């Protein structure tokens, strides 16, 4: 706690107006820790003033975008002020002719997409919950979705950022041109910084022309092996799917209402294609044939139906009934190991009596496993089982050069299992960066890798 | 070298023959593709991560700076040992360590030439996409340090979009792994931060790159214009039509003449400018795309559009483009390449203004550049023996960079700041921006021994005086 919350409160109220400040932080608790104040600055300049005031008062702060990723990371070591970016939701400049847009950090991704779609453009980043995810949060948490297969992640689309550093200083990184090596690439420092190096207040991204034609091919297989074989075949072919998702039967079941899968208990391999009519048609044909040759059942969705299918697939993990006991992990492995990791997550979970829903960005090396203990387990038993599975999977992922990160977990679970895993050889350098930028350790203290 | 002891110790680490300190030999390491020169005190040939680490530990103990050197093709003075010290010759670390087709990754040593990697991957049906025009002589380590681009970057992005892991030796000899074969390594994205750091964060000794299947098909076109303005308008028109060609390169008349003189690629000598446009991907719509582009070019005032009929014709066009700098070098004692970048739609305007700068300073300025990226390369021709002319060139260069910034662009698209553009940094960065960048420099290299004196000289002196 800062020595005097009341003083800070007055100071912040003077900066942003009493309406934009509250002491009721219950809705902004981070891992159960409730902030003393929640402040909603209205301009980038106000963000800088707010941060400077917090720094002076030695108040620990956590930036808050759409709140969809607040379950990620270690519990904060301290939390005094949540800085909500919700009022920073304006377009700064849209330059459709140069395929580029600048927005304030609180702009929801969904709104940005709707806006640029009017000019037949899009940002090919598609994390779950697009209507809530803010551009600042997307960048800070480096969020992505199925489309990352062809289009990459935030680091491939962010051209420029404005950031308020932990002492309130305002800086800018990059610019609005698509090639820029004028000094260090500071954008990369703030992408995936999880609010530990300051607050992102403005984001410039490049855009893509909207594809003429879209289609989704769903291959349903009764066996895992067949799905994995087709996956490998697609990867070795000339086909250029935009997305390639592998869903286990539990996830496929969740999608049944939308995708109309024929039978329960199937593994689903879903590929998204976009481009000209002729390339999309050809890819659909090729994939349908591959699916059929392995005894799978293929179903194709086109245009608007294809878009709906992707919205459902992207949000599949969020479709399960909310349960505070659920643990969601993200496993990152070399691409060739993705399918095996999905299978392993299922087996390990089953062995501990956990219900698992496992999906994968199968062409990108990312597996998402949502684990839920059975109702027959005691709380201690459930925690032990979840921890055992998570630790075992982490060991497997680390063994092949990857990682396991907790996306969502109850605070009591986080007390047992590290949110990010063990830091590697570059941790000392990361620490020095953190200390250079945030010597008082006030921005999201303790939340990141290694308790940084 | 004043420090004979260090040379002795270095010889013990890498072997007698792998340390050079004779004046004649050192001369070879005092310049790169930019215009400044400065002789190093010693050159060390390194062969492994471990060796680099031991060498840097020694340098650190003696407080001696070092500069890694790849092909020496950078255009901003990046390899000039500005504060003396040791040059690390990386060229012997040139092995391809691993190709993992299933995971679409290759692990490479930094001294390998960009083209060599391409040649090693091609028989497997794979490719590494960034392809600087200098790919024959530029190393992957240099590409990483400069975040190099190339003619295919409009569609595929620059080096940073394709580098996913690095082994780096810091200036105190510590070895750190950044990123790797798996995606989204937890923690800060130090791989992304390192790419483009121009040797000032440490020495990279291994690179993990993303590889992709070779495209199923490719079509290359040459659009010929009598007006440079029309050519650059076409670039925007193609993009506005929703097309994403792999390549949109432009050469003006002066460059065409130089190229024809040395390479004879069959480019028309009487036109104002040509665009090289390439589309690639699945075969199914390449014909369709080509027709649409030809139509657009003609609508926007092209005199003629030639479509390469076969691989030989395509190779000829590319030989011309890739050989452009070299060809220009034959018609002038020296040139300064400006690397400013602008929003693509301002190309017609900026080209006009560049020509005006040429007139104002009475200098010839041919242009060959990555038009799709809005990345200009005006080449200001001069004779380095003429000090007065050189002074005019420097002024003209600065004016061009100022122009780019005024139009919403920046001072370097792909060649880096090095020694060359230090004085232009203030055009785009505030004092606070520079201080923030220096924080990162200090975190990687607290002793300021990694390629010191580059990118931000003035600010650096301020911060070290503190
Ligand atoms: C069940 C589940 C499944 C998921 N599946 C996937 C998936 O398949 N693929 C994937 O990529 N992601 C996945 N996610 C992650 C999710 O999509 C992200 O959490 C979301 O994109 C983050 O955006 P936000 O605006 O809600 O950020 P927030 O939750 O508000 O913030 C995220 C982080 O960034 C910080 N922050 C926020 N705004 C700023 C700012 N302006 N400046 C600095 N720091 C800031 C916060 O302090 C916090 O640390 C999943 C999450 C869950 C719970
Ligand atoms: C004819 C010509 C055409 C060109 N075309 C292009 C183009 O199309 N696109 C483009 O982007 N550039 C181009 N360039 C510029 C240049 O080729 C690139 O910058 C290239 O990447 C430099 O590679 P290099 O191996 O020659 O590096 P060097 O010149 O040897 O070094 C460049 C910088 O990298 C550092 N460095 C080298 N190796 C390492 C290492 N292992 N670890 C850390 N730092 C290291 C050096 O210290 C230096 O600061 C061109 C240059 C020429 C002469």
């Amino acid at each position: 706690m800062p020595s005097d919350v009341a003083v800070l409160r007055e100071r912040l109220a003077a900066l942003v107006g009493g309406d934009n400040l509250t002491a009721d932080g219950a809705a902004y608790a981070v891992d159960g820790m409730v902030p003393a104040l929640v402040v909603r600055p209205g301009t980038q300049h106000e963000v800088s003033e707010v941060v400077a005031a917090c720094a002076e008062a030695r108040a620990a702060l956590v930036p808050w975008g759409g709140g969809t990723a607040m379950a990620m990371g270690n519990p904060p070591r301290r939390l005094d002020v949540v800085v909500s970016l919700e009022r920073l939701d304006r377009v700064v400049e849209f330059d459709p002719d140069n395929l580029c847009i600048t927005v304030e950090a609180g702009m929801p991704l969904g709104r940005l997409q709707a806006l640029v779609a009017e000019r037949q453009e899009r940002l090919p980043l598609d994390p779950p919950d697009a209507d809530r995810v803010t551009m600042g949060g997307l960048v800070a948490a480096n969020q992505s979705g199925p489309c990352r297969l062809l289009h990459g992640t935030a680091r491939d689309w962010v051209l420029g950022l404005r950031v308020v550093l932990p002492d309130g200083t305002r800086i800018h990184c990059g610019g609005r041109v698509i090639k820029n090596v004028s000094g260090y690439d500071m954008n990369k420092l703030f992408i995936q910084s999880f609010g530990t190096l300051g607050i992102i207040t403005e984001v410039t991204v490049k855009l893509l022309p909207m594809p003429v034609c879209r289609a989704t091919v769903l291959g349903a297989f009764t066996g895992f092996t067949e799905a994995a074989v087709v996956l490998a075949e697609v990867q070795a072919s000339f086909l250029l799917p935009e997305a390639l998702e592998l869903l286990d039967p539990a996830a496929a079941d969740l999608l049944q209402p939308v995708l109309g899968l024929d039978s329960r208990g199937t593994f689903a391999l879903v590929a998204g294609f976009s481009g000209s009519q002729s390339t999309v048609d050809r890819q659909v044909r090729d994939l349908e044939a591959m699916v059929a040759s392995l005894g799978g059942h293929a179903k194709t969705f086109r245009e608007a139906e294809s878009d709906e299918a992707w919205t459902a697939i992207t949000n599949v993990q969020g479709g399960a009934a909310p349960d505070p006991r659920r643990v969601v992990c993200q496993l990152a492995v070399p691409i060739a190991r993705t399918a095996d990791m999905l299978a392993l997550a299922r087996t390990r979970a089953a062995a501990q009596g956990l219900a698992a829903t496992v999906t994968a960005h199968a062409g990108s090396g990312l597996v998402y496993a949502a684990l839920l203990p059975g109702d027959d387990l005691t709380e201690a038993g459930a925690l032990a089982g979840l921890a055992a599975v998570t630790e075992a999977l982490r060991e497997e992922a680390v063994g092949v050069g990857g990682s396991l990160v907790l996306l969502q977990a109850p605070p009591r679970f986080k007390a047992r299992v590290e949110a990010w895993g063990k830091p590697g050889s570059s941790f000392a350098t990361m620490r020095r960066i953190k200390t250079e930028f945030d010597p008082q350790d006030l921005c999201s203290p303790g939340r990141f890798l290694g308790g940084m | 070298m004043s420090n004979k002891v260090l040379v002795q110790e270095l010889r013990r680490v890498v072997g007698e023959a792998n340390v050079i300190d004779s004046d004649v030999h050192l001369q070879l390491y005092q310049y790169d593709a930019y215009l400044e020169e400065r002789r190093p005190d010693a050159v060390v040939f390194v062969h492994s991560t471990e060796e680099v680490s031991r060498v840097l530990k020694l340098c650190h103990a003696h407080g001696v700076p070092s500069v890694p050197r790849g092909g020496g093709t950078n255009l901003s003075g990046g390899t000039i040992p500005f504060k003396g010290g040791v040059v690390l010759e990386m060229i012997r670390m040139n092995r391809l360590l691993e190709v993992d087709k299933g995971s679409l990754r290759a692990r490479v040593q930094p001294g390998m030439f960009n083209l060599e990697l391409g040649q090693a991957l091609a028989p497997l049906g794979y490719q590494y996409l960034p392809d600087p025009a200098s790919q024959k002589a530029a190393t992957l380590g240099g590409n990483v340090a400069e975040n190099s681009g190339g003619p295919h970057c409009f569609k595929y992005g620059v080096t940073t979009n394709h580098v996913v892991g690095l082994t780096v030796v810091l200036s105190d000899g510590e070895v750190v792994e950044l990123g790797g074969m798996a995606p989204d390594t937890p923690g800060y994205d130090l791989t992304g931060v390192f790419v483009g750091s121009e040797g000032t964060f440490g020495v990279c000794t291994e690179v993990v790159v993303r590889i992709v299947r070779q495209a199923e098909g490719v079509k290359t076109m040459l659009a010929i214009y009598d007006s440079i303005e029309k050519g650059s308008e076409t670039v925007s028109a193609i993009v506005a039509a929703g097309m994403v060609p792999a390549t949109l390169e432009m050469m003006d008349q002066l460059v065409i003449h130089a190229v024809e003189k040395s390479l004879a690629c069959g480019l028309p000598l009487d036109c104002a400018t040509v665009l090289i446009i390439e589309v690639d991907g699945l075969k199914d719509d390449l014909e369709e795309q080509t027709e649409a582009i030809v139509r657009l070019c003609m609508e926007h005032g092209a005199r003629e559009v030639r479509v390469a009929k076969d691989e030989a014709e395509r190779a000829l066009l590319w030989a011309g483009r890739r050989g452009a700098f070299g060809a220009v070098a034959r018609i002038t004692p020296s040139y300064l390449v400006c690397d400013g970048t602008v929003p693509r739609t301002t190309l017609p305007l900026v080209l006009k203004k560049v020509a005006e700068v040429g007139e104002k300073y009475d200098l010839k300025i041919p242009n060959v550049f990555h038009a799709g990226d809005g990345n200009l390369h005006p080449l200001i021709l001069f004779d380095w023996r003429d000090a007065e002319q050189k002074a005019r060139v420097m002024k003209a260069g600065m004016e061009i960079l100022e122009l780019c910034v005024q139009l919403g662009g920046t001072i370097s698209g792909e060649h880096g700041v090095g020694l060359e553009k230090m004085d232009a940094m203030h055009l785009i960065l505030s004092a606070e921006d520079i201080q923030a960048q220096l924080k990162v420099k200090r975190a990687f290299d607290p002793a300021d021994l990694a390629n010191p004196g580059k990118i931000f000289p003035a600010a650096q002196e301020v911060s070290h005086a503190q």
Side-chain angles (χ1 to χ4, degrees):
Chain A
M1 276 290 158
S3 50
D4 203 336
V5 182
V7 176
L8 179 61
R9 185 178 177 164
E10 255 170 56
R11 185 81 200 276
L12 294 180
L15 292 174
V16 300
D19 290 352
N20 294 310
L21 183 72
T22 169
D24 179 7
Y28 293 87
V30 180
D31 285 325
M33 198 179 278
V34 179
L37 298 169
V38 178
V39 55
R40 301 185 303 146
T43 62
Q44 301 190 46
H45 180 67
E46 279 183 16
V47 175
S48 122
E49 289 180 321
V50 162
V51 173
C54 290
E56 213 171 288
R58 295 178 176 264
L61 61 85
V62 166
W64 192 288
T68 64
M70 296 313 294
M72 287 182 78
N74 298 305
R77 202 160 25 240
R78 289 169 52 206
L79 175 59
D80 302 311
V81 179
V82 159
V83 182
S84 161
L85 281 304
E86 68 188 283
R87 291 173 66 216
L88 264 75
D89 64 350
R90 287 160 291 230
V91 176
V92 177
E93 192 188 357
F94 179 24
D95 182 358
D97 295 338
N98 285 303
L99 293 166
C100 165
I101 188 168
T102 302
V103 298
E104 290 177 339
M107 160 81 72
L109 172 64
R111 231 159 80 208
L112 179 144
Q113 298 286 29
L115 203 112
V116 302
E118 287 173 20
R119 297 295 302 262
Q120 299 305 313
E121 293 177 6
R122 66 169 175 152
L123 173 65
L125 297 174
D126 57 348
D129 226 351
D131 290 332
R132 284 177 62 213
V133 168
T134 60
M135 289 305 294
L138 182 148
V139 169
N142 188 19
Q143 294 312 319
S144 61
C147 259
R148 66 179 284 156
L149 175 64
L150 191 62
H151 300 296
T153 54
R155 73 200 294 289
D156 303 299
W157 294 91
V158 170
L159 297 178
L161 296 175
R162 285 188 189 274
V163 180
V164 170
L165 298 183
D167 64 356
T169 310
R170 292 181 64 182
I171 63 161
H172 92 279
C173 320
R176 60 194 195 88
V177 285
I178 61 178
K179 276 164 80 182
N180 194 340
V181 295
S182 318
Y184 301 138
D185 187 350
M186 297 289 282
N187 289 328
K188 302 295 189 291
L189 185 64
F190 294 98
I191 297 173
Q192 194 174 298
S193 62
F194 282 89
T196 59
L197 295 177
I199 300 188
I200 298 161
T201 56
E202 185 183 293
V203 181
T204 302
V205 286
K206 59 178 175 172
L207 303 167
L208 262 188
M210 198 77 92
V212 187
C213 196
R214 284 113 48 223
T216 302
V217 177
L218 165 76
F221 302 88
T222 42
F224 166 79
T225 315
E226 289 76 14
V229 169
V230 174
L231 170 64
E233 273 180 21
V234 175
Q235 286 171 317
S237 75
F238 281 119
L239 303 198
L240 291 167
E242 194 165 60
L244 204 47
E245 298 285 296
L246 186 58
L247 310 173
D248 79 344
D253 278 356
L254 286 172
L255 287 174
Q256 201 166 22
V258 191
L259 301 184
L261 289 169
D262 289 13
S263 53
R264 297 181 74 84
T266 56
F267 285 86
L269 180 67
V270 198
F273 299 107
S274 73
S276 64
Q277 185 80 49
S278 53
T279 55
V280 169
D281 285 350
R282 180 268 179 102
Q283 299 189 84
V284 166
R285 259 193 333 271
D286 285 7
L287 182 54
E288 283 176 349
M290 289 182 203
V291 171
S293 77
L294 272 128
H297 180 82
K299 181 167 177 179
T300 299
F301 305 82
R302 299 232 179 216
E303 309 313 323
E305 272 191 355
S306 167
D307 299 345
E308 276 161 37
W310 278 110
T311 308
I313 294 163
T314 306
N315 292 295
V316 58
Q317 293 277 22
D323 191 321
R325 297 172 305 164
R326 182 177 285 119
V327 169
V328 184
C329 347
Q330 171 186 282
L331 288 142
V333 292
I335 294 168
R337 309 253 181 189
T338 319
D340 287 345
M341 192 49 90
L342 174 137
L344 188 72
R346 284 170 49 76
T347 335
R348 287 290 161 97
Q352 288 285 341
L354 303 176
T357 307
V358 193
T359 59
H361 299 326
S364 308
L366 289 163
V367 176
Y368 297 86
L371 308 170
L372 203 55
D375 290 329
D376 52 328
L377 291 177
T378 62
E379 197 196 339
L383 276 180
L386 286 165
V389 173
T390 312
E391 295 288 18
L393 291 176
R394 175 169 275 162
E395 204 180 309
E396 294 284 344
V398 170
V400 295
S403 62
L404 179 147
V405 168
L406 299 180
L407 292 186
Q408 194 184 304
R412 300 199 47 189
F413 182 81
K414 287 190 184 175
R416 288 178 75 141
V417 178
E418 246 289 319
W420 307 98
K422 238 171 69 190
S425 54
S426 59
F427 188 60
T429 310
M430 290 185 194
R431 269 231 98 97
R432 286 197 295 270
I433 289 179
K434 169 72 175 173
T435 306
E436 284 281 349
F437 280 84
D438 186 13
Q440 299 198 82
D441 197 19
L442 295 176
C443 280
S444 307
R447 294 215 80 202
F448 207 16
L449 179 69
M452 176 168 64
Chain B
M1 185 167 202
S2 52
N3 202 332
K4 285 277 173 216
V5 186
L6 175 58
V7 170
Q8 287 300 317
E9 289 173 3
L10 288 170
R11 288 208 156 105
R12 268 202 295 279
V13 171
V14 295
E16 189 73 21
N18 288 316
V19 179
I20 290 174
D21 67 343
S22 83
D23 243 22
V24 199
H25 288 119
L26 291 178
Q27 260 186 40
L28 299 172
Y29 287 88
Q30 72 186 22
Y31 61 91
D32 56 22
Y34 181 57
L35 308 163
E36 299 268 350
E37 298 190 13
R38 165 80 208 247
R39 198 163 303 181
D41 297 309
V43 175
V44 180
F45 285 73
V46 288
H47 303 80
S48 67
T49 300
E50 208 244 317
E51 220 175 68
V52 172
S53 166
R54 290 172 67 195
V55 166
L56 290 189
K57 274 188 186 135
L58 282 177
C59 289
H60 189 255
H62 288 263
V64 169
S66 63
V67 184
R69 181 181 173 105
T73 69
N74 81 88
L75 295 157
S76 51
T79 40
I80 306 302
F82 187 66
K83 302 207 165 167
V86 171
V87 163
L88 297 178
E89 169 60 272
M90 304 303 297
I91 217 82
R92 297 215 180 131
M93 291 184 69
N94 63 350
R95 279 178 306 135
L96 175 55
L97 301 170
E98 182 185 354
V99 178
D100 183 341
K101 293 196 286 184
S103 290
L104 296 171
R105 299 290 181 264
R107 217 153 47 83
V108 205
Q109 287 187 323
M112 185 172 215
F113 291 125
N114 178 293
L115 184 66
E116 282 181 314
L117 175 60
Q119 286 167 341
L121 293 173
L124 308 172
Y126 287 79
Q127 60 177 332
Y128 169 67
L129 287 162
D131 59 341
S134 51
Q135 64 182 166
K136 262 190 228 172
T139 63
L140 286 153
N143 295 172
V144 165
E146 301 289 359
N147 190 13
S148 299
H152 285 88
C153 291
F154 176 59
K155 179 169 176 184
Y156 294 116
V158 292
T159 300
T160 193
N161 306 109
H162 302 272
V163 170
V164 297
L166 294 168
T167 302
V168 169
V169 186
L170 300 179
S171 63
D172 61 359
E174 196 185 325
V175 179
V176 298
E177 301 287 339
L178 314 178
M181 298 288 278
D184 297 16
T185 310
Y188 300 127
D189 175 12
L190 296 190
T191 310
V193 173
F194 188 91
V195 175
S197 60
E198 304 190 22
T200 65
F201 286 174
V203 180
C204 102
T205 56
E206 255 178 56
V207 191
V208 183
V209 299
R210 211 162 71 85
I211 59 174
V212 298
R213 280 295 312 255
Q214 278 177 326
E216 190 181 26
V218 51
K219 284 263 180 201
T220 310
M221 288 154 264
L222 180 76
I224 302 162
Y225 292 84
D226 289 327
S227 135
I228 198 157
E229 220 170 322
K230 296 241 161 74
S232 49
E233 280 167 18
T234 305
V235 173
S236 286
I238 289 175
V239 177
M243 284 184 271
V244 187
T247 298
L248 272 169
E249 298 279 300
M250 202 160 162
M251 294 196 268
D252 73 3
Q253 189 173 37
L254 286 169
V255 172
I256 294 170
H257 278 233
V259 166
E260 281 306 301
K261 222 182 210 166
S262 65
L263 294 162
C265 301
L267 300 173
L269 291 170
D270 62 340
C271 67
T273 189
V274 295
L275 280 178
I276 299 179
I277 309 168
E278 192 160 276
V279 290
D280 68 358
L282 294 169
K283 275 184 177 150
D284 311 73
D285 71 346
L286 287 182
E287 208 59 59
E288 212 177 294
Q289 281 194 57
T290 307
E291 277 165 25
I293 287 173
V294 170
R295 211 164 38 241
L296 265 173
C297 293
M298 295 308 287
E299 275 167 25
H300 284 83
R303 179 170 97 193
E304 180 194 347
V305 184
R306 299 179 190 163
V307 182
K309 280 193 289 296
D310 49 31
E311 188 49 39
E313 272 191 31
R314 171 172 184 257
L316 204 58
L317 284 179
W318 276 114
R321 169 57 189 94
R322 291 196 190 279
F325 281 16
V328 170
R330 291 189 179 190
I331 60 166
T332 175
S334 355
Y335 60 76
L336 176 73
V337 194
C338 304
D339 181 37
T341 297
V342 293
R344 192 184 310 111
T345 49
T346 65
L347 276 179
L349 180 61
V350 77
L351 288 173
K352 201 168 116 225
K353 298 224 170 198
V354 166
E356 285 168 16
V357 171
E359 274 159 37
K360 173 171 163 193
Y361 289 98
D362 190 20
L363 295 163
K364 269 199 190 170
I365 311 187
N367 285 285
V368 43
F369 62 101
H370 313 299
D373 306 330
N375 187 187
L376 307 176
H377 287 338
L379 303 167
I380 312 180
L381 312 188
F382 70 106
D383 187 337
W384 56 274
R385 289 159 298 198
D386 181 344
E388 183 277 329
Q389 200 187 27
K390 186 171 170 188
R392 262 187 290 140
V393 168
M394 291 307 183
K395 273 197 193 147
M398 186 59 93
E399 217 163 287
I400 289 173
L401 297 186
E402 281 167 6
L403 255 173
C404 293
V405 173
Q406 279 160 19
L407 290 170
T410 191
I411 58 170
S412 186
E414 58 177 21
H415 296 165
V417 177
L419 292 170
E420 182 207 2
K421 290 181 272 294
M422 296 191 298
D423 295 341
M425 287 290 273
H426 73 275
L427 294 177
I428 47 157
L429 298 182
S430 69
E432 289 79 17
D433 297 338
I434 289 179
Q435 285 306 327
Q437 301 209 359
L438 287 170
K439 289 179 199 291
V440 187
K441 163 72 174 171
R442 283 196 297 268
F444 273 94
D445 178 29
D448 195 24
L449 293 175
N451 204 0
K454 305 284 171 72
I455 311 178
F456 328 92
Q460 199 149 16
E461 256 126 54
V462 172
S463 73
H464 279 270
Q466 280 168 358

